[in-house]
Amino acid sequence: TYQITLLPGDGIGPEIMSACKEVLGTLQKKCGFELEMTDALIGGAAIDAKNDPFPDESLEQCRNSDSVLLSCIGGYKWDSNPRELRPETGLLKMRKEMGLFANLRPAKVLPQLIDASTLKKEIVEGVDVMCVRELTGDVYFGTPKGIDVVDGERVGYNNMIYRESEIERIARVAGDVASKRGGKLCSVDKANVLDVSQLWRDVVTDIITKEFSDVELSHMYVDNAAMQLIRWPKQFDTIVTGNIFGDILSDEASMLVGSLGMLPSASIGESGPGVFEPCHGSA
């Protein structure tokens, strides 16, 4: 028997979870295993019930599970809340506290659904891209951050920051993934203008060349990558990138398939349960 924590979240989330439970019920009967599924709160639902977007009891339940299934969070109702009382803050807390540093987002075009894509058939047919996104660093978590008043006007700021060790561990995940797929890894950065991206490029190059000699490594600036994903997506096999670039590019890649809701997403760490969800994240 496996312990599964269910996080229905907000908006369409409970409806998604209801359908998932039906599918999992069928799988249990067909494959001969048992799942003990227990709900927990996250996002706007948790704010309404507990005044906390990811209560400690939810975190503890997730940590003690074999796996976590998340639907989605968010909604206009909470958009004007202070930052600490927004649904997205609960999502970031879950990732950080559970050590979910690696996000795997595959975009594979299925022949039966090829017409769901907004791109031409000859562009998307056969596309099979894995986006490996670093999930617990970068500008989403960097400090200092905030909104201050300087010289009589408001100034907003965030810190785009990575430690060498954070880049090393996501590079190893990406190298392992690429070696089990087509053997090609494209690292996406903005090293021509960002110092943090130069460090990213240097560390990824060092890890892949030393530890994954069977993987063909290339580098691409993020603006070019965004264009190339639409222009000729079949050139990509595995992509590795930082948190904010990965957030944007993986959402873009979903439209190769046709919809964010049609893609799976796995957030994993070095140990403990992973979190599995539809790619869209927002309700």
Side-chain angles (χ1 to χ4, degrees):
T1 300
Y2 299 96
Q3 306 294 322
I4 311 296
T5 291
L6 306 179
L7 301 172
D10 310 315
I12 199 175
E15 184 180 338
I16 293 172
M17 193 62 73
S18 177
C20 283
K21 288 168 76 172
E22 287 187 29
V23 174
L24 290 173
T26 301
L27 281 174
Q28 288 180 78
K29 294 175 184 175
K30 185 171 183 177
C31 301
F33 61 87
E34 291 186 15
L35 300 176
E36 188 173 307
M37 296 179 278
T38 309
D39 285 5
L41 292 168
I42 192 172
I47 295 170
D48 290 348
K50 300 285 186 177
N51 202 39
D52 185 336
F54 191 53
D56 289 341
E57 52 264 40
S58 293
L59 172 60
E60 193 63 23
Q61 184 176 322
C62 289
R63 282 175 169 166
N64 292 328
S65 301
D66 294 301
S67 190
V68 178
L69 190 61
L70 168 68
S71 289
C72 49
I73 53 96
Y76 296 119
K77 177 180 179 181
W78 305 281
D79 279 354
S80 58
N81 283 9
R83 180 73 60 190
E84 67 274 11
L85 288 177
R86 292 187 187 179
E88 295 78 11
T89 301
L91 195 62
L92 295 179
K93 177 184 175 182
M94 179 184 71
R95 292 169 178 171
K96 195 71 172 180
E97 294 297 324
M98 293 180 66
L100 307 172
F101 71 89
N103 183 215
L104 307 181
R105 291 187 166 192
K108 185 174 183 177
V109 174
L110 302 176
Q112 300 90 334
L113 299 174
I114 197 165
D115 290 333
S117 177
T118 53
L119 297 179
K120 295 177 181 177
K121 181 179 178 180
E122 58 266 30
I123 297 295
V124 298
E125 191 171 30
V127 164
D128 183 358
V129 181
M130 174 67 81
C131 185
V132 181
R133 169 190 173 193
E134 202 287 326
L135 204 58
T136 55
D138 207 349
V139 72
Y140 291 171
F141 290 93
T143 54
K145 61 181 178 179
I147 300 175
D148 294 334
V149 177
V150 179
D151 297 329
E153 64 177 344
R154 288 180 296 167
V155 176
Y157 54 94
N158 291 84
N159 189 12
M160 194 174 198
I161 183 170
Y162 268 116
R163 291 180 176 271
E164 189 173 15
S165 56
E166 293 176 315
I167 304 170
E168 287 175 342
R169 65 183 184 179
I170 195 67
R172 289 190 174 101
V173 171
D176 182 57
V177 169
S179 68
K180 294 172 180 175
R181 287 172 49 87
K184 290 172 57 181
L185 176 63
C186 180
S187 176
V188 175
D189 57 44
K190 193 63 176 168
N192 55 339
V193 293
L194 294 175
D195 291 335
V196 63
S197 274
Q198 186 60 58
L199 177 65
W200 176 280
R201 182 171 291 212
D202 293 344
V203 174
V204 168
T205 300
D206 188 53
I207 291 294
I208 299 302
T209 54
K210 287 182 179 178
E211 300 182 20
F212 300 91
S213 58
D214 58 329
V215 172
E216 177 188 334
L217 176 66
S218 62
H219 300 276
M220 192 175 287
Y221 296 140
V222 63
D223 43 355
N224 186 29
M227 183 269 286
Q228 294 291 344
L229 262 177
I230 299 301
R231 175 184 168 271
W232 193 241
K234 280 180 273 195
Q235 68 183 281
F236 296 105
D237 176 68
T238 305
I239 295 172
V240 62
T241 191
N243 205 342
I244 189 168
F245 296 159
D247 191 359
I248 297 164
L249 291 178
S250 62
D251 279 15
E252 181 189 7
S254 74
M255 287 311 297
L256 302 173
V257 179
S259 166
L260 271 172
M262 293 162 64
L263 293 190
S265 172
S267 302
I268 57 175
E270 292 176 344
S271 61
V275 175
F276 302 87
E277 59 187 299
C279 198
H280 52 77
S282 299

